[in-house]
Amino acid sequence: MSESVIIAEVNKGTVAAVTAELVSAALALGTTPTVVVPCTDASVADGAGFEGVSKTIAVKGDCFTNYDAASWAAAIDAAAPTGIVIAAATPQSKDVAARVAARRGISIVQDVVAIDGMNLTSPIYSGKAMQTVALSGDAAISVRANVFPAAASTAADVSVVDQSGDVATAVQEIIARASARLDVSEANIIISGGRGMGSPDNFSHLEKIADTLGAAVGASRAAVDTWDEIPHSMQVGQTGKTVNPNLYIAVGISGAIQHLAGMRSSKYIVAVNKDADAPIFSHADYGIVATWEEALPVLESAFSSMMA
Amino acid sequence: MPNIVVLVKRVPDTNARIVVSGDRVDLSAVKWVISPYDEFAIETALQHKEAAGGTVTALTLGPSDADKVLKDAKAIGVDEIVRLWDDSWSELDSNAIQSALAQAVTGLGAEVVYCGKTAADTGAGSTGPGVAERLGWASVSNITNASFDGGITVTSPVEGGSARVSVSGNAVISCDKGNMKVRKPNVKGIMMAKRAQVNVVSADAPVSTVSIVSQTPPPAKPAGKKFEGASSAEEVARLLRDEANVI
Ligand SMILES: Cc1cc2nc3c(=O)[nH]c(=O)nc-3n(C[C@H](O)[C@H](O)[C@H](O)COP(=O)(O)OP(=O)(O)OC[C@H]3O[C@@H](n4cnc5c(N)ncnc54)[C@H](O)[C@@H]3O)c2cc1C
Ligand SMILES: Nc1ncnc2c1ncn2[C@@H]1O[C@H](COP(=O)(O)O)[C@@H](O)[C@H]1O
């Protein structure tokens, strides 16, 4: 059986849930995975034990204090230099995986959503088509979240490797997000508002539901472009973020092709729109034809009583 | 004064309908454009030149029909346009594309490269960091802002917010939309672009080890349920819990 190297996804100092899904992807490829955990404190890797994993390596280095693509790739590559590289399809891990692949002179296939032997499928043309490729050698791949089942956790047998890389960029300042709210790229549930929300103040109704569900709040480009209060970091779509949550609730969003590009692969889509002919309804699992003014209070009280 | 390269790629217009015929996407009827994020890369490159002097060269890897996007870049204001191609190439994988681009960047003597965050066809975001690694350069991806006061300082997303990062030395910088307004070609630019010469160069590309098996339409979703009226929201909430199991 050939080997693979899983780059663990570390979020707020802990190993993120998607890492367990990467283990299933590695097994689907017929490989035996080693999990590599980039960290400054090796205890993080205690959360990276999974059934089916042969080794867990904490790669402990000063370079992991801030994100710097060059040093991260160098340190991770040095700690586990052979095998198929598997990372989560988050912006940062896709970036690191691309550099690790380039270091080794191998190819990379991003955003994999299905694995069949050595055949990998990922979306192309913003999800307007799917492409299946065959690997005939080592490669790096990134895997979308919520596609593969999570491997069961076990106690991790961690070996610690002290390994840093030469940091090529200098962080001047970290600007914290204005709100403590979850980012759309990190959330399992997203509720997004569009131009139909009428004003940025009305996004408070979305935030209320987001708080009930532990969801992130997103926006269409029309909302971001129209209202200064809605930052680009909330934008979902072709020129915003690509998201793949379990549940995406689109409120006052028409469903333009560029918006769909960023969210069509969500497991479940709910649309609230007053126009029964809005294109978003063709993509929604559950559509509610109503104004948000009427529908959101009903939705919010139903969710509240469920979560209580 | 910096020698600046900006990578531009020809892609189908993002409004284009993508049709599959046989087991390949049929692009014979689509309108072609510069990949949307590459417009931000061009804008950033031009701003860099305006602040620090130097030249901006637009580089694309593609067959002769890619000349059009180079001319479009020229009309927006780049100085030189270069196309990288070898007639023996077809369906190059990322390793081949990045190797060839890195050689061309070296050949042009560039010190900084701007590119798009992701190309509209691949959606990958691999090329910027991959080319940087091959050149032994720094890379910063998905920047939303850049300033050129002495060196290069960019804003890029990090966990919990964004970081202002300065880059000293050579780097590949991939550009997100951010709050940038891109300039549009003017009449003079369009006239100059018409007469501009595309400089064609070649490179060695390693054999591709990733080959396309098939391209297919996205899986059809089963038709959803549509409800009239706000009171149905209660039913939808229940279905999300009991049928979809997502709450
Ligand atoms: C190159 C390019 C890239 C783009 N990238 C993106 C992108 O990343 N993301 C993105 O979202 N868009 C993107 N767009 C823009 C996209 O084409 C649409 O213009 C945009 O998505 C529309 O946003 P919207 O649905 O909020 O607004 P609209 O299209 O104006 O729709 C508003 C909707 O709200 C409904 N509505 C109004 N009032 C109410 C009410 N009281 N209650 C309920 N419903 C109501 C209306 O029926 C309507 O359907 C891009 C466009 C281009 C050309
Ligand atoms: N064939 C190409 N020619 C020129 N630039 C390219 C090419 N492929 C990718 N790029 C650049 O790399 C960016 C990211 O592409 P990708 O890695 O395919 O998502 C694009 O936005 C372009 O700036």
Side-chain angles (χ1 to χ4, degrees):
Chain A
M1 217 187 233
S2 55
E3 289 173 89
S4 59
V5 177
I6 291 173
I7 303 174
E9 187 72 16
V10 179
N11 212 332
K12 300 186 183 76
T14 57
V15 173
V18 66
T19 311
E21 301 173 17
L22 302 181
V23 173
S24 299
L27 299 176
L29 278 168
T31 61
T32 312
T34 295
V35 177
V36 169
V37 186
C39 56
T40 49
D41 172 356
S43 67
V44 175
D46 292 342
F50 303 100
E51 249 162 53
V53 167
S54 66
K55 277 193 293 221
T56 302
I57 304 176
V59 189
K60 184 167 160 279
D62 290 340
C63 69
F64 297 116
T65 308
N66 287 307
Y67 180 62
D68 170 71
S71 57
W72 282 47
I76 289 168
D77 190 39
T82 55
I84 292 183
V85 178
I86 303 174
T90 59
Q92 189 171 305
S93 292
K94 286 172 69 170
D95 198 50
V96 172
R99 283 199 75 124
V100 172
R103 277 184 88 75
R104 300 186 184 181
I106 58 179
S107 267
I108 180 154
V109 182
Q110 304 275 22
D111 296 293
V112 169
V113 294
I115 296 175
D116 177 11
M118 281 291 141
N119 284 8
L120 310 173
T121 303
S122 31
I124 51 172
Y125 303 106
S126 320
K128 288 193 260 183
M130 306 301 288
Q131 175 168 279
T132 300
V133 297
L135 302 185
S136 60
D138 271 354
I141 72 171
S142 69
V143 177
R144 288 253 177 113
N146 296 327
V147 172
F148 289 91
S153 295
T154 59
D157 179 10
V158 180
S159 52
V160 181
V161 176
D162 279 296
Q163 179 75 57
S164 202
D166 292 336
V167 176
T169 57
V171 174
Q172 303 297 323
E173 125 185 71
I174 304 262
I175 308 146
R177 243 198 311 275
S179 72
R181 213 159 269 293
L182 208 57
D183 190 83
V184 287
S185 54
E186 297 161 6
N188 270 325
I189 301 180
I190 298 170
I191 180 163
S192 288
R195 201 196 324 256
M197 293 305 294
S199 87
D201 293 343
N202 289 333
F203 272 65
S204 62
H205 299 278
L206 305 176
E207 285 165 11
K208 209 161 152 209
I209 293 184
D211 290 342
T212 308
L213 296 178
V217 178
S220 72
R221 170 152 159 193
V224 170
D225 285 356
T226 314
W227 301 307
D228 288 343
E229 295 84 345
I230 310 294
H232 178 253
S233 59
M234 282 169 65
Q235 185 178 317
V236 172
Q238 167 111 30
T239 37
K241 290 180 175 145
T242 303
V243 297
N244 194 30
N246 282 327
L247 173 60
Y248 188 90
I249 307 177
V251 185
I253 292 178
S254 58
I257 189 86
Q258 296 92 352
H259 189 78
L260 293 169
M263 45 62 78
R264 67 191 303 159
S265 65
S266 305
K267 215 160 240 166
Y268 282 88
I269 297 171
V270 172
V272 178
N273 199 302
K274 68 174 183 186
D275 173 8
D277 296 325
I280 189 78
F281 285 124
S282 327
H283 301 270
D285 299 278
Y286 305 113
I288 302 170
V289 184
T291 65
W292 63 262
E293 289 91 336
E294 292 168 327
L296 288 187
V298 181
L299 210 51
E300 141 67 14
S301 83
F303 287 148
S304 291
S305 53
M306 282 179 188
M307 304 304 281
Chain B
M1 287 198 293
N3 178 332
I4 303 164
V5 162
V6 56
L7 301 181
V8 294
K9 187 175 190 193
R10 172 183 180 264
V11 299
D13 185 270
T14 58
N15 279 312
R17 221 163 67 81
I18 298 294
V19 212
V20 175
S21 109
D23 58 4
R24 286 290 187 280
V25 160
D26 175 4
L27 300 172
S28 56
V30 304
K31 181 179 156 217
W32 296 88
V33 296
I34 296 179
S35 189
Y37 291 114
D38 299 359
E39 294 187 23
F40 304 119
I42 295 172
E43 178 62 36
T44 312
L46 293 175
Q47 288 182 12
H48 190 173
K49 177 187 159 179
E50 279 158 8
T55 58
V56 177
T57 302
L59 170 65
T60 197
L61 181 159
S64 59
D65 32 18
D67 281 353
K68 166 84 167 58
V69 292
L70 288 175
K71 298 232 169 180
D72 292 348
K74 176 78 185 171
I76 299 169
V78 307
D79 301 299
E80 305 289 335
I81 47 179
V82 177
R83 184 165 60 82
L84 169 63
W85 189 245
D86 185 296
D87 282 331
S88 67
W89 294 348
S90 69
E91 290 192 350
L92 301 181
D93 67 8
S94 67
N95 185 34
I97 290 169
Q98 293 168 18
S99 303
L101 284 171
Q103 288 165 53
V105 167
T106 304
L108 290 168
E111 291 139 72
V112 54
V113 172
Y114 295 96
C115 67
K117 159 179 134 164
T118 54
D121 51 358
T122 66
S126 306
T127 310
V131 168
E133 184 67 49
R134 284 156 207 280
L135 295 166
W137 291 8
S139 61
V140 187
S141 294
N142 310 337
I143 69 155
T144 53
N145 189 46
S147 58
F148 308 98
D149 197 3
I152 307 175
T153 305
V154 296
T155 306
S156 72
V158 292
E159 188 182 310
S162 57
R164 281 192 353 111
V165 176
S166 62
V167 187
S168 52
N170 299 347
V172 180
I173 295 170
S174 88
C175 301
D176 197 346
K177 173 175 181 276
N179 42 18
M180 213 181 293
K181 289 262 181 301
V182 299
R183 65 196 79 185
K184 295 290 171 192
N186 57 31
V187 176
K188 185 167 155 249
I190 293 167
M191 293 310 291
M192 284 192 24
K194 277 208 177 110
R195 290 192 299 270
Q197 272 298 315
V198 175
N199 179 9
V200 182
V201 299
S202 196
D204 298 321
V207 175
S208 295
T209 59
V210 174
S211 54
I212 299 174
V213 176
S214 66
Q215 295 172 330
T216 51
K221 263 192 119 156
K225 297 181 181 152
K226 197 154 120 189
F227 303 90
E228 296 281 340
S231 57
S232 64
E234 196 169 343
E235 168 75 353
V236 169
R238 194 190 59 73
L239 287 168
L240 287 171
R241 185 188 56 189
D242 300 339
E243 187 176 81
N245 289 318
V246 287
I247 301 237

mmCIF file of all heavy atoms in Angstrom, chain B residues 7-9 38 59-61 101 115-119 122-127, ligand 2:
data_model
loop_
_atom_site.group_PDB
_atom_site.id
_atom_site.type_symbol
_atom_site.label_atom_id
_atom_site.label_comp_id
_atom_site.label_asym_id
_atom_site.label_seq_id
_atom_site.Cartn_x
_atom_site.Cartn_y
_atom_site.Cartn_z
ATOM 1 N N LEU B 7 0.290 37.543 -14.652
ATOM 2 C CA LEU B 7 -0.196 36.364 -15.365
ATOM 3 C C LEU B 7 -1.661 36.554 -15.721
ATOM 4 O O LEU B 7 -2.470 36.904 -14.851
ATOM 5 C CB LEU B 7 -0.061 35.115 -14.488
ATOM 6 C CG LEU B 7 1.346 34.772 -14.003
ATOM 7 C CD1 LEU B 7 1.309 33.486 -13.162
ATOM 8 C CD2 LEU B 7 2.304 34.595 -15.187
ATOM 9 N N VAL B 8 -1.989 36.361 -16.977
ATOM 10 C CA VAL B 8 -3.396 36.467 -17.386
ATOM 11 C C VAL B 8 -3.796 35.204 -18.131
ATOM 12 O O VAL B 8 -3.012 34.628 -18.875
ATOM 13 C CB VAL B 8 -3.678 37.710 -18.275
ATOM 14 C CG1 VAL B 8 -3.467 38.988 -17.484
ATOM 15 C CG2 VAL B 8 -2.815 37.712 -19.520
ATOM 16 N N LYS B 9 -5.010 34.773 -17.911
ATOM 17 C CA LYS B 9 -5.491 33.555 -18.548
ATOM 18 C C LYS B 9 -6.794 33.819 -19.283
ATOM 19 O O LYS B 9 -7.648 34.565 -18.809
ATOM 20 C CB LYS B 9 -5.699 32.464 -17.488
ATOM 21 C CG LYS B 9 -6.044 31.122 -18.109
ATOM 22 C CD LYS B 9 -6.142 30.016 -17.093
ATOM 23 C CE LYS B 9 -6.250 28.675 -17.820
ATOM 24 N NZ LYS B 9 -6.651 27.596 -16.916
ATOM 25 N N ASP B 38 -7.821 38.036 -12.706
ATOM 26 C CA ASP B 38 -6.606 38.534 -13.352
ATOM 27 C C ASP B 38 -6.720 40.034 -13.629
ATOM 28 O O ASP B 38 -5.716 40.735 -13.732
ATOM 29 C CB ASP B 38 -6.331 37.770 -14.653
ATOM 30 C CG ASP B 38 -6.114 36.285 -14.413
ATOM 31 O OD1 ASP B 38 -6.157 35.881 -13.235
ATOM 32 O OD2 ASP B 38 -5.916 35.532 -15.380
ATOM 33 N N LEU B 59 1.819 38.040 -19.192
ATOM 34 C CA LEU B 59 2.271 36.731 -19.686
ATOM 35 C C LEU B 59 1.111 35.752 -19.649
ATOM 36 O O LEU B 59 0.423 35.638 -18.635
ATOM 37 C CB LEU B 59 3.415 36.224 -18.782
ATOM 38 C CG LEU B 59 3.883 34.780 -18.966
ATOM 39 C CD1 LEU B 59 4.521 34.569 -20.347
ATOM 40 C CD2 LEU B 59 4.891 34.405 -17.864
ATOM 41 N N THR B 60 0.889 35.054 -20.754
ATOM 42 C CA THR B 60 -0.115 33.994 -20.745
ATOM 43 C C THR B 60 0.486 32.731 -21.312
ATOM 44 O O THR B 60 1.399 32.789 -22.147
ATOM 45 C CB THR B 60 -1.379 34.388 -21.536
ATOM 46 O OG1 THR B 60 -2.450 33.518 -21.166
ATOM 47 C CG2 THR B 60 -1.190 34.294 -23.043
ATOM 48 N N LEU B 61 0.008 31.591 -20.835
ATOM 49 C CA LEU B 61 0.385 30.320 -21.441
ATOM 50 C C LEU B 61 -0.829 29.831 -22.213
ATOM 51 O O LEU B 61 -1.888 29.610 -21.604
ATOM 52 C CB LEU B 61 0.787 29.312 -20.350
ATOM 53 C CG LEU B 61 1.244 27.918 -20.785
ATOM 54 C CD1 LEU B 61 2.059 27.251 -19.684
ATOM 55 C CD2 LEU B 61 0.084 27.008 -21.169
ATOM 56 N N LEU B 101 5.619 28.214 -16.772
ATOM 57 C CA LEU B 101 5.466 29.625 -16.395
ATOM 58 C C LEU B 101 6.687 30.113 -15.605
ATOM 59 O O LEU B 101 7.168 31.235 -15.817
ATOM 60 C CB LEU B 101 4.191 29.838 -15.574
ATOM 61 C CG LEU B 101 2.863 29.845 -16.351
ATOM 62 C CD1 LEU B 101 1.671 29.855 -15.384
ATOM 63 C CD2 LEU B 101 2.779 31.044 -17.310
ATOM 64 N N CYS B 115 -0.832 37.542 -10.016
ATOM 65 C CA CYS B 115 -1.740 36.658 -10.745
ATOM 66 C C CYS B 115 -3.092 36.696 -10.059
ATOM 67 O O CYS B 115 -3.257 37.362 -9.030
ATOM 68 C CB CYS B 115 -1.187 35.228 -10.790
ATOM 69 S SG CYS B 115 -1.124 34.409 -9.195
ATOM 70 N N GLY B 116 -4.063 36.005 -10.626
ATOM 71 C CA GLY B 116 -5.392 35.945 -10.036
ATOM 72 C C GLY B 116 -5.430 34.942 -8.896
ATOM 73 O O GLY B 116 -4.641 34.010 -8.845
ATOM 74 N N LYS B 117 -6.371 35.152 -7.984
ATOM 75 C CA LYS B 117 -6.559 34.234 -6.851
ATOM 76 C C LYS B 117 -6.879 32.819 -7.340
ATOM 77 O O LYS B 117 -6.292 31.844 -6.879
ATOM 78 C CB LYS B 117 -7.695 34.781 -5.984
ATOM 79 C CG LYS B 117 -8.374 33.803 -5.064
ATOM 80 C CD LYS B 117 -9.454 34.507 -4.270
ATOM 81 C CE LYS B 117 -10.740 33.722 -4.249
ATOM 82 N NZ LYS B 117 -11.675 34.169 -3.212
ATOM 83 N N THR B 118 -7.820 32.721 -8.269
ATOM 84 C CA THR B 118 -8.110 31.443 -8.932
ATOM 85 C C THR B 118 -8.511 31.775 -10.355
ATOM 86 O O THR B 118 -9.037 32.853 -10.619
ATOM 87 C CB THR B 118 -9.313 30.697 -8.303
ATOM 88 O OG1 THR B 118 -10.432 31.586 -8.287
ATOM 89 C CG2 THR B 118 -9.035 30.230 -6.895
ATOM 90 N N ALA B 119 -8.271 30.844 -11.262
ATOM 91 C CA ALA B 119 -8.751 31.025 -12.631
ATOM 92 C C ALA B 119 -10.213 30.593 -12.679
ATOM 93 O O ALA B 119 -10.609 29.655 -11.982
ATOM 94 C CB ALA B 119 -7.913 30.201 -13.594
ATOM 95 N N THR B 122 -10.498 26.624 -13.793
ATOM 96 C CA THR B 122 -10.032 25.585 -12.858
ATOM 97 C C THR B 122 -10.560 25.809 -11.448
ATOM 98 O O THR B 122 -10.778 24.842 -10.708
ATOM 99 C CB THR B 122 -8.496 25.571 -12.752
ATOM 100 O OG1 THR B 122 -8.067 26.801 -12.145
ATOM 101 C CG2 THR B 122 -7.831 25.409 -14.110
ATOM 102 N N GLY B 123 -10.694 27.072 -11.048
ATOM 103 C CA GLY B 123 -11.051 27.371 -9.658
ATOM 104 C C GLY B 123 -10.003 26.926 -8.665
ATOM 105 O O GLY B 123 -10.264 26.802 -7.476
ATOM 106 N N ALA B 124 -8.775 26.671 -9.137
ATOM 107 C CA ALA B 124 -7.794 25.957 -8.315
ATOM 108 C C ALA B 124 -7.058 26.857 -7.322
ATOM 109 O O ALA B 124 -6.974 26.542 -6.132
ATOM 110 C CB ALA B 124 -6.795 25.242 -9.217
ATOM 111 N N GLY B 125 -6.472 27.946 -7.800
ATOM 112 C CA GLY B 125 -5.623 28.745 -6.915
ATOM 113 C C GLY B 125 -4.268 28.120 -6.671
ATOM 114 O O GLY B 125 -3.630 28.374 -5.647
ATOM 115 N N SER B 126 -3.809 27.292 -7.584
ATOM 116 C CA SER B 126 -2.527 26.589 -7.412
ATOM 117 C C SER B 126 -1.365 27.323 -8.057
ATOM 118 O O SER B 126 -0.218 27.165 -7.627
ATOM 119 C CB SER B 126 -2.592 25.197 -8.059
ATOM 120 O OG SER B 126 -3.686 24.461 -7.591
ATOM 121 N N THR B 127 -1.633 28.070 -9.115
ATOM 122 C CA THR B 127 -0.552 28.559 -9.967
ATOM 123 C C THR B 127 0.366 29.556 -9.257
ATOM 124 O O THR B 127 1.587 29.443 -9.355
ATOM 125 C CB THR B 127 -1.139 29.189 -11.246
ATOM 126 O OG1 THR B 127 -2.075 28.258 -11.814
ATOM 127 C CG2 THR B 127 -0.051 29.492 -12.255
HETATM 128 N N1 LIG C 2 -2.304 29.248 -18.674
HETATM 129 C C1 LIG C 2 -2.086 30.321 -17.898
HETATM 130 N N2 LIG C 2 -1.508 31.438 -18.415
HETATM 131 C C2 LIG C 2 -1.281 32.533 -17.658
HETATM 132 N N3 LIG C 2 -1.627 32.615 -16.375
HETATM 133 C C3 LIG C 2 -2.218 31.547 -15.795
HETATM 134 C C4 LIG C 2 -2.473 30.348 -16.507
HETATM 135 N N4 LIG C 2 -3.062 29.479 -15.669
HETATM 136 C C5 LIG C 2 -3.197 30.110 -14.480
HETATM 137 N N5 LIG C 2 -2.673 31.366 -14.552
HETATM 138 C C6 LIG C 2 -2.639 32.401 -13.493
HETATM 139 O O1 LIG C 2 -2.796 31.795 -12.238
HETATM 140 C C7 LIG C 2 -4.020 32.201 -11.624
HETATM 141 C C8 LIG C 2 -4.616 31.075 -10.844
HETATM 142 O O2 LIG C 2 -4.929 29.993 -11.703
HETATM 143 P P1 LIG C 2 -5.357 28.569 -11.142
HETATM 144 O O3 LIG C 2 -4.219 28.066 -10.320
HETATM 145 O O4 LIG C 2 -5.619 27.729 -12.331
HETATM 146 O O5 LIG C 2 -6.582 28.807 -10.311
HETATM 147 C C9 LIG C 2 -4.860 32.728 -12.760
HETATM 148 O O6 LIG C 2 -5.813 33.652 -12.287
HETATM 149 C C10 LIG C 2 -3.807 33.365 -13.653
HETATM 150 O O7 LIG C 2 -3.423 34.621 -13.148
#
